[in-house]
Amino acid sequence: MNACERKYKRIGDSMQISFQAFGTYNQIMAEVDCLPLLEECRSLCEAIEAKFSAFQPTSAIAEISAQAGIRPVAIDEETFFMLKRAQDFSNLSKGAFDITIRPATALWGIGKKEDYVPDSQDLEQLNELVDYKGLVLDQKNGTAMLQKAGQQIDLGGIAKGYAADKARDHLVQKGCSSALINFGGNIATIGEKQNGESWQVGVQNPLAKRGEFIGTVSLTDQTMVTSGVNERFFIRDGKRYHHILDPRTCRPADSSLLSVTVVGNRSIDMDALSTALFVLGPDEGSKLAIQTGCHALFILTNREIFATEGFTKMLKRKV
């Protein structure tokens, strides 16, 4: 299935659309009479991907990176919002989430360069470029600038979450009262299922094949996002190298975790937080989760499970 293809499927009293975007497989399931809106949501997502992808040379995001260390770039209100929200979470997490991570993700190329491991000298040079404090936003003049030449922005850590929020908002505004949005693990819900039950969403076992869960969570008008080592990785000399990089070291985060799952109200926020909490680890991560009012579950490398009180109450463990 390429970016322009989509498939429809009827499931009971609901209709589901499936399509590719953000480098992943996306699904929206809603009331049958919301069918025209599903197509509108797909178009909306493709527009968001084109606008905020680091791989689109004509996008404002690409231009900001191209003009790093040279000049500010004029941006529209939506781009300013995205950059400001990402900057907020970069500050909140003290750099555990960093939208200037792009030079590091490009160097590692996990999922694209097979089992490539950069040498220490190259990684040390990146430490000067991966620094969210180098992004200067000027709301009065509507501009954004990266201070150091070679810095690059990557909104991949929040773009799917933003798209899920926009799709959910669009459906609600058009009168849809029941829907489940799944953008590659970014889950957003509207109301309840057609039969009046809450949406049951599985928490993936990070060491098992996709679809094997440690338990389920009931969601109504909430969003859930998971970040884990099972999404993109390779194993070399017995060591797992995964795609969640620690911006402070420019290496795969070594935080004693296999995955983090967060539940909250807005998917863009949970998208950024799931990454930040994974990098921070269970101790500092749980503090940030409580501070931001989200519920979080941590699966450790020793397979133990640690969760905030709110998540513990929500989780129905698999027997």
Side-chain angles (χ1 to χ4, degrees), residues 124-138:
E124 288 174 6
Q125 291 176 352
L126 289 181
N127 287 330
E128 297 182 5
L129 300 179
V130 179
D131 180 7
Y132 66 95
K133 295 178 181 178
L135 174 64
V136 178
L137 298 176
D138 185 337

Side-chain angles (χ1 to χ4, degrees), residues 136-276:
V136 178
L137 298 176
D138 185 337
Q139 187 169 15
K140 180 179 179 181
N141 294 307
T143 63
M145 180 179 178
L146 291 168
Q147 293 181 317
K148 300 176 184 177
Q151 285 192 298
Q152 295 179 330
I153 290 173
D154 189 342
L155 289 175
I158 64 171
K160 278 194 302 179
Y162 177 69
D165 287 336
K166 294 294 284 187
R168 181 169 66 171
D169 292 347
H170 182 71
L171 289 169
V172 170
Q173 289 166 7
K174 296 294 185 176
C176 181
S177 61
S178 175
L180 176 69
I181 298 164
N182 182 355
F183 290 173
N186 284 54
I187 308 293
T189 61
I190 297 173
E192 299 174 330
K193 297 167 64 175
Q194 292 287 295
N195 61 8
E197 297 178 355
S198 299
W199 296 100
Q200 299 297 313
V201 181
V203 178
Q204 175 67 37
N205 180 342
L207 294 179
K209 63 182 181 180
R210 184 173 295 277
E212 291 192 13
F213 307 124
I214 65 162
T216 58
V217 173
S218 297
L219 298 181
T220 301
D221 294 319
Q222 291 174 297
T223 185
M224 185 174 92
V225 179
T226 297
S227 292
V229 301
N230 57 310
E231 296 171 13
R232 294 197 305 275
F233 69 93
F234 65 87
I235 297 176
R236 178 173 169 180
D237 298 328
K239 182 176 181 178
R240 180 189 293 256
Y241 294 86
H242 57 80
H243 78 291
I244 306 174
L245 303 183
D246 186 336
R248 302 164 299 185
T249 64
C250 294
R251 299 174 183 273
D254 185 10
S255 55
S256 74
L257 292 174
L258 293 173
S259 71
V260 173
T261 299
V262 291
V263 172
N265 296 322
R266 300 297 291 174
S267 196
I268 185 174
D269 296 347
M270 296 306 102
D271 210 356
L273 276 172
S274 68
T275 301

